[in-house]
Amino acid sequence: MKLLKISEVAEILNVTLDRAYALARSGSIPVVYIGRQVRVEKEKLLEWIRGGGKKIIDTSN
């Protein structure tokens, strides 16, 4: 599992760093918090992109 920094996510999505953080805060993209650091699982981000940028509903529970 590869975890991306928000700066890497911003680059992949071709958006500003502020916009990438806003997407993370809103729950639009799936994030992992490591203390105060925000990371995004690369495969989940790619799934989110393939799904047209819609929120991913976690059905694993």
Side-chain angles (χ1 to χ4, degrees):
M1 168 182 13
K2 166 90 169 139
L3 294 177
L4 302 171
K5 296 176 184 177
I6 288 292
S7 60
E8 295 170 308
V9 171
E11 187 174 321
I12 290 168
L13 296 177
N14 195 30
V15 298
T16 65
L17 190 57
D18 287 341
R19 180 67 180 137
Y21 273 112
L23 288 167
R25 273 193 308 274
S26 72
S28 292
I29 57 175
V31 297
V32 175
Y33 290 97
I34 303 170
R36 292 184 54 186
Q37 297 178 6
V38 180
R39 298 289 186 263
V40 177
E41 188 178 337
K42 185 174 184 176
E43 188 53 45
K44 293 286 187 182
L45 178 64
L46 296 177
E47 180 183 333
W48 180 81
I49 293 168
R50 286 190 294 268
K54 295 180 173 64
K55 286 187 180 183
I56 297 173
I57 306 298
D58 185 4
T59 59
S60 63
N61 293 336

